[in-house]
Amino acid sequence: MPFRPVQTQCKRRKSPPLGDSENMADRDPEIASKLGEDRSEGISWGELIAQDSRTPPAILTEESYTYRGSDPIPAERYTSEEFARLERERMWPYVWQFVAREEDLPDAGDYVVYENAGRSYLVSRQEDGSIRAMHNVCLHRGRKLRTEEGNADKFVCPFHGFAWNKDGSFDSMPCQWDFPHLQQQGLDLPEAEVGRWAGYVFIREEKGGPSLEEYLAPLPEHFKRWRHEECASVMRVAKEVPANWKVTMEAFMEAWHTIVTHPQLLPFTGDSNAAYWTWGDNVNVNLVPFGVMSPHIKSGQGEQWIVDEFIKYNGRSGDNYEGEAAANPMAIRVPEGMTARAALGAAMRQAYAESTGYDHEDATDAELLDALVYNVFPNFAPWGGYMPNIVYNWKPGKTPDTCIMEVRVLARIPKGQPIPRGAPLHFLTLDQKWTEAAELGILGDVFEQDMDNLPYVQQGLHASKNGQVQLGNYQEIRIRQFQDTIMKYINGELGGAKD
């Protein structure tokens, strides 16, 4: 018998009537103190992690939630060219932007072209192993020096032949006699600041402000356990999307849209049981349990059914394995008296030890199964844990109504083996579907379900009568934090922009 999703009631604490929460909170401090405390029926993240087969680390048990208000978000933040201009001027130059993984440019002379928010950069590996980033614009007549990644000791402009070394220092020009007004020391390519962490490479256009480690905190402490520096990009797919970059990103910042958008995931996904935590201005996480039924399911078919559905529809369960693991270590029979979650955790614990050579005996079920989806302001989203790790990022498009979404999958390289060069980028145009990237497997189908919403969200925001977006107090707290932070840059509280 097929499962039947059903709307569940939430645990309430005399919440104010719909639409009146702000007014009543202003009048009644007791109500204000309880806003954001309501949670879905069903086992909570805290209760679930307490039942884990292994002792969980503090990073998975110490809740970090703060109510941030219930005011609506103006729709024009997603549709206005003026707001996009303010982002380009007041936010993007002052934030750390993820641009590459170390394995994308392993050898001296390797470079990638990173473009975002009206800027173009050359990110180049140097002879000493360091990485430098320079603006990708000829200082003569403004041509881009490169349009795609490659390897070069010099960047020679294809227009007139002005040339720069791979560290951005000026090398030479034809007809130098005609430029007595140019001083060689003033012809070096402008640089951007470079930061590196756990195999990830970041740049910041304007120097100054918090270091990369300060900016990412507490991410480095959390990911120390998961060692992403031991991983490599085994697939990379990007697609132009007909929606604003914030609309698109925010669709991946909460799990509870699963009940309508991804119903095939409900048998094994605790969508509204997920935890949502934030830290400071920059970092947040959505902890989504797998191997448990959604509380929206009225009746299931047992623990084995959870596993069977999991291996059919979980995008990380089988598509990214090679060799011995291609048989899919999650295709198991659940022993009598054991939960699907514990059985899956045990199977993955053994499979990872065998396939990677690392000891995963203390790895929790959560770290082996769940979607531990972190976001770093403004647009970087690495998954934690030991599964093949998904990494998202989003960039503005040519107009506020489009964006570029990129998806990477990282896999742990077996112990003692060198990190291979990263997979090349497969770019999909606006008219192509995620499912045309066969390497994504079932993930392509899941992303297409999201694409069925996003263009119409963008159109609806343009058409909105009241011009407002409403957010839930708990399940959409990550979006609230993101919106709070972007306004701090727009208003000049963060960054270096001055009125």
Side-chain angles (χ1 to χ4, degrees):
M1 183 178 70
F3 74 89
R4 290 182 292 164
V6 64
Q7 297 287 347
T8 59
Q9 297 298 313
C10 291
K11 298 176 182 177
R12 310 298 296 175
R13 293 182 176 85
K14 294 185 179 180
S15 297
L18 183 65
D20 198 32
S21 60
E22 287 296 304
N23 291 336
M24 292 193 70
D26 291 340
R27 297 194 301 267
D28 190 335
E30 183 178 352
I31 290 177
S33 69
K34 294 183 181 301
L35 288 173
E37 292 186 3
D38 295 331
R39 299 292 183 271
S40 171
E41 294 284 1
I43 189 170
S44 70
W45 171 264
E47 292 165 338
L48 188 66
I49 199 71
Q51 299 174 9
D52 203 282
S53 300
R54 298 294 185 272
T55 302
I59 59 175
L60 297 179
T61 62
E62 295 180 356
E63 183 175 8
S64 182
Y65 170 83
T66 302
Y67 172 67
R68 292 172 171 263
S70 303
D71 289 342
I73 305 300
E76 65 181 359
R77 293 184 191 175
Y78 305 95
T79 61
S80 163
E81 172 53 40
E82 173 61 18
F83 194 83
R85 180 186 65 80
L86 291 172
E87 292 175 354
R88 292 192 297 270
E89 294 177 359
R90 294 172 171 262
M91 188 267 287
W92 287 112
Y94 302 101
V95 297
W96 285 104
Q97 302 177 47
F98 166 59
V99 299
R101 286 273 306 174
E102 296 272 0
E103 66 268 17
D104 296 337
L105 55 166
D107 301 326
D110 284 346
Y111 66 89
V112 299
V113 176
Y114 173 74
E115 297 189 316
N116 184 32
R119 296 288 192 227
S120 183
Y121 302 91
L122 293 166
V123 183
S124 174
R125 179 78 70 176
Q126 305 301 302
E127 294 294 336
D128 63 359
S130 64
I131 296 175
R132 304 188 75 162
M134 298 78 65
H135 286 257
N136 180 29
V137 178
C138 177
L139 299 182
H140 172 217
R141 298 270 289 276
R143 190 197 192 280
K144 287 183 181 178
L145 296 171
R146 290 289 187 274
T147 58
E148 57 186 26
E149 63 188 43
N151 184 284
D153 285 329
K154 285 186 173 60
F155 298 113
V156 180
C157 180
F159 196 178
H160 294 90
F162 276 59
W164 286 266
N165 299 309
K166 63 173 173 281
D167 65 357
S169 61
F170 179 70
D171 179 69
S172 61
M173 70 174 87
C175 299
Q176 189 166 356
W177 58 265
D178 205 20
F179 295 88
H181 50 291
L182 295 183
Q183 301 297 318
Q184 183 165 335
Q185 61 268 29
L187 285 176
D188 293 348
L189 294 175
E191 282 195 82
E193 195 171 5
V194 175
R196 299 158 69 182
W197 163 76
Y200 297 95
V201 182
F202 297 80
I203 67 167
R204 180 168 57 189
E205 180 179 344
E206 298 294 340
K207 296 182 179 180
S211 68
L212 178 61
E213 291 72 19
E214 292 168 337
Y215 189 90
L216 294 176
L219 200 72
E221 183 62 30
H222 289 208
F223 277 65
K224 186 182 298 182
R225 180 176 172 92
W226 302 319
R227 309 184 311 277
H228 277 205
E229 61 274 13
E230 297 171 359
C231 301
S233 303
V234 296
M235 77 174 69
R236 257 183 92 194
V237 181
K239 176 174 163 46
E240 188 175 8
V241 178
N244 185 267
W245 71 278
K246 298 182 294 296
V247 166
T248 306
M249 181 178 72
E250 289 171 4
F252 291 82
M253 293 179 76
E254 45 81 11
W256 74 281
H257 68 279
T258 301
I259 185 174
V260 174
T261 303
H262 311 296
Q264 79 279 10
L265 308 184
L266 294 176
F268 58 85
T269 304
D271 54 335
S272 58
N273 302 112
Y276 297 84
W277 300 344
T278 65
W279 296 271
D281 291 320
N282 297 331
V283 180
N284 58 61
V285 70
N286 180 197
L287 306 171
V288 185
F290 288 154
V292 296
M293 284 193 305
S294 167
H296 295 114
I297 292 182
K298 185 175 181 179
S299 61
Q301 300 176 40
E303 298 298 314
Q304 186 60 48
W305 178 66
I306 294 174
V307 170
D308 294 343
E309 296 299 298
F310 189 62
I311 61 178
K312 281 196 292 188
Y313 296 118
N314 171 41
R316 297 184 297 163
S317 67
D319 296 314
N320 306 318
Y321 295 98
E322 296 180 356
E324 294 180 3
N328 192 348
M330 293 183 179
I332 60 170
R333 301 302 300 175
V334 180
E336 187 72 26
M338 183 178 280
T339 66
R341 184 172 172 84
L344 286 166
M348 293 312 303
R349 203 170 283 113
Q350 179 179 347
Y352 273 118
E354 292 174 355
S355 64
T356 68
Y358 291 98
D359 182 5
H360 285 83
E361 185 56 31
D362 67 343
T364 60
D365 301 333
E367 293 168 297
L368 294 164
L369 300 175
D370 296 345
L372 312 179
V373 189
Y374 286 76
N375 274 62
V376 176
F377 186 87
N379 64 332
F380 171 56
W383 288 35
Y386 295 108
M387 282 287 285
N389 299 97
I390 296 173
V391 181
Y392 300 129
N393 83 303
W394 303 265
K395 298 185 294 185
K398 296 177 182 178
T399 75
D401 294 326
T402 63
C403 74
I404 303 297
M405 175 177 170
E406 182 176 325
V407 180
R408 289 176 183 254
V409 174
L410 305 185
R412 194 166 306 276
I413 303 306
K415 193 173 185 178
Q417 293 188 16
I419 302 293
R421 182 178 288 272
L425 177 66
H426 182 174
F427 189 86
L428 301 171
T429 63
L430 199 63
D431 295 330
Q432 291 180 286
K433 293 182 177 293
W434 287 102
T435 48
E436 294 182 46
E439 61 268 39
L440 287 173
I442 198 67
L443 279 177
D445 296 280
V446 175
F447 293 153
E448 275 306 307
Q449 290 176 317
D450 292 300
M451 296 304 111
D452 287 341
N453 292 325
L454 296 179
Y456 303 107
V457 173
Q458 191 66 25
Q459 293 173 28
L461 290 168
H462 276 286
S464 174
K465 173 66 173 177
N466 68 6
Q468 296 181 349
V469 173
Q470 302 289 348
L471 299 177
N473 292 328
Y474 182 68
Q475 294 180 109
E476 291 166 338
I477 191 64
R478 303 170 77 209
I479 300 173
R480 177 74 63 183
Q481 181 211 37
F482 167 76
Q483 290 288 338
D484 287 349
T485 301
I486 199 168
M487 291 312 299
K488 288 182 180 181
Y489 280 93
I490 299 301
N491 293 331
E493 297 175 54
L494 293 174
K498 305 297 181 184
D499 288 320

